[in-house]
Amino acid sequence: MTTIDVPDPGADRLTDLRRGLAERADAAGLLDLAYRTVDAPIGSCLVVVGPEGLLRLAFEVEDHASVLEDLAEVVSPRILADRRRTDQVARELDEYFAGARRDFEVPVDLGLSRGFRRTVLDELRNVGYGSTISYAALAESAGNPKAVRVVGSACASNPVPIVVPCHRVVRSDGTTGAYRGGSEAKVALLAMEADASR
Amino acid sequence: MTVRPFDLLVAEHGTVVWRVCRAVLPETDADDAWSDTFLAALGAYDRLRPDSDVRAWLVTIAHRKAIDVHRRAGRAPVPLAEVPERPVGEDAFELADPELWRLVASLPDKQRGAVVYRHVAGLPYAQVADLLGCSAVAARRSAADGIARLRRHLTAETQEVQP
């Protein structure tokens, strides 16, 4: 068969083109969700930023591709890799993991969480760096002492872990309990914060 | 069918879209047309029917945007001078030339569409026919005519530079 010898763009050119596209899409108001991955000591984390702020942070153990596919269904398929819109959260995470940041300032959008679970996550934002709270105590401060199990599921389904610190919620007997990023990651985060608070 | 993250479309079809643009444009202009293509596709993504062939959809937008850029740059298609027809073999033959895009851009609309969709994007003739709004037989004919025309011109030009 006849072929026409038109060259391929090559990987570097495509990388530049995709960066330029994300900028143009953002300027045109067509970039609903911007993402990047951040290298962290607990593995690579996916961060997804929407118009209102950080919408999702996913651990390496969650499949990043399927997280993006879910967001395309639930929020918007207008998703591109973009460094600019994800710059603040990436920088703050780097600082946090270097022990140089205790509070996150990046705007957070808890839109993926609803009802009492959302209330629990809002309440959780007041639990400071290096401290912990029990599931029972968090249920109480969220206004429903009996809803300990719902508090557990609110933490398990926290769309923005680390930034909304569900790793600081532990069992009443002092053991750490489950974590979306794996219990090892939870132990590591608590140890890091305890170290830096000393 | 689920709606996929647009980023996956860029990753999967970014290369073919660039080649389609590059077929009728020099490099930097191809970059502009590539970007125009994906920006337009992103804007229209919510209107794409779930059963559409994404590759064919992007390739059509790319060809249209590339021709737009070509015309915007003041490169009105120069009608090719008629070169005497000569017999052309059926064996594999590669058309390569640094200025090939000028020749491809100068083909009549239907031939150019057929050549680019078939021989640059690699779409099957049934799809090429859909995109051009003609029968598969007519699409085949247009592609063959376009290729024959390109060959004649490349051969003619090569002969001109010979002493």
Side-chain angles (χ1 to χ4, degrees):
Chain A
M1 191 188 105
T2 305
T3 58
I4 294 199
D5 190 21
V6 176
D8 277 352
D12 289 349
R13 185 172 218 111
L14 278 177
T15 304
D16 289 349
L17 284 169
R18 291 175 75 169
R19 186 170 303 144
L21 173 65
E23 275 176 29
R24 284 185 75 188
D26 195 15
L30 290 173
L31 179 54
D32 293 341
L33 300 176
Y35 82 88
R36 81 153 82 179
T37 52
V38 175
D39 252 339
I42 55 167
S44 105
C45 295
L46 171 75
V47 293
V48 186
V49 175
E52 309 294 324
L54 178 65
L55 189 70
R56 188 75 168 85
L57 189 156
F59 295 103
E60 193 161 350
V61 292
E62 305 175 71
D63 176 16
H64 290 182
S66 70
V67 169
L68 290 176
E69 278 162 27
D70 287 349
L71 289 173
E73 283 285 306
V74 176
V75 182
S76 166
R78 287 182 174 146
I79 303 175
L80 290 173
D82 178 48
R83 299 191 77 77
R84 247 168 12 134
R85 289 246 311 255
T86 54
D87 189 59
Q88 188 185 355
V89 61
R91 200 175 53 241
E92 291 187 9
L93 282 169
D94 281 347
E95 291 163 359
Y96 170 80
F97 284 114
R101 172 174 289 277
R102 293 170 165 241
D103 299 301
F104 287 94
E105 288 156 47
V106 64
V108 170
D109 178 357
L110 284 176
L112 292 172
S113 188
R114 286 175 211 283
F116 184 65
R117 291 179 179 203
R118 171 86 176 255
T119 311
V120 170
L121 296 180
D122 280 330
E123 195 57 36
L124 184 50
R125 301 184 76 181
N126 301 320
V127 179
Y129 189 93
S131 60
T132 57
I133 188 170
S134 71
Y135 289 98
L138 183 56
E140 192 166 347
S141 68
N144 191 349
K146 288 180 184 165
V148 181
R149 291 173 79 104
V150 186
V151 166
S153 83
C155 290
S157 63
N158 176 9
V160 281
I162 301 176
V163 176
V164 172
C166 58
H167 59 281
R168 293 176 194 148
V169 188
V170 296
R171 287 166 153 166
S172 304
D173 65 6
T175 56
T176 50
Y179 192 52
R180 199 169 193 173
S183 49
E184 275 175 33
K186 188 171 185 174
V187 171
L189 290 173
L190 289 172
M192 184 195 82
E193 291 190 4
D195 260 8
S197 303
R198 223 173 267 147
Chain B
M1 162 165 165
T2 55
V3 190
R4 304 174 71 217
F6 192 79
D7 205 56
L8 287 179
L9 274 60
V10 183
E12 286 166 18
H13 306 292
T15 294
V16 72
V17 162
W18 195 81
R19 294 184 73 243
V20 164
C21 298
R22 184 68 181 78
V24 295
L25 292 169
E27 271 191 359
T28 31
D29 288 354
D31 288 352
D32 293 342
W34 185 95
S35 182
D36 291 350
T37 299
F38 280 110
L39 197 66
L42 182 60
Y45 194 33
D46 53 351
R47 298 190 296 277
L48 177 69
R49 287 203 319 273
D51 59 340
S52 306
D53 185 290
V54 173
R55 183 183 171 96
W57 178 61
L58 289 171
V59 160
T60 327
I61 302 175
H63 186 51
R64 204 169 56 228
K65 291 293 176 189
I67 292 300
D68 285 351
V69 170
H70 183 87
R71 292 188 178 144
R72 225 186 298 148
R75 296 195 184 89
V78 185
L80 295 178
E82 276 310 316
V83 175
E85 217 159 319
R86 71 190 84 221
V88 172
E90 288 299 314
D91 51 338
F93 183 91
E94 210 165 75
L95 294 172
D97 188 271
E99 296 274 278
L100 180 65
W101 61 267
R102 276 186 206 282
L103 291 177
V104 178
S106 316
L107 290 173
D109 285 353
K110 201 152 199 169
Q111 287 182 17
R112 192 188 59 233
V115 165
V116 170
Y117 295 148
R118 175 64 193 156
H119 294 287
V120 179
L123 299 180
Y125 276 116
Q127 239 167 24
V128 176
D130 277 350
L131 297 179
L132 296 176
C134 64
S135 70
V137 174
R140 225 174 250 277
R141 184 77 249 161
S142 295
D145 289 348
I147 291 291
R149 202 160 162 141
L150 290 175
R151 278 185 194 170
R152 286 203 302 277
H153 279 272
L154 285 174
T155 319
E157 281 180 10
T158 314
Q159 282 169 348
E160 273 167 32
V161 293
Q162 279 169 357

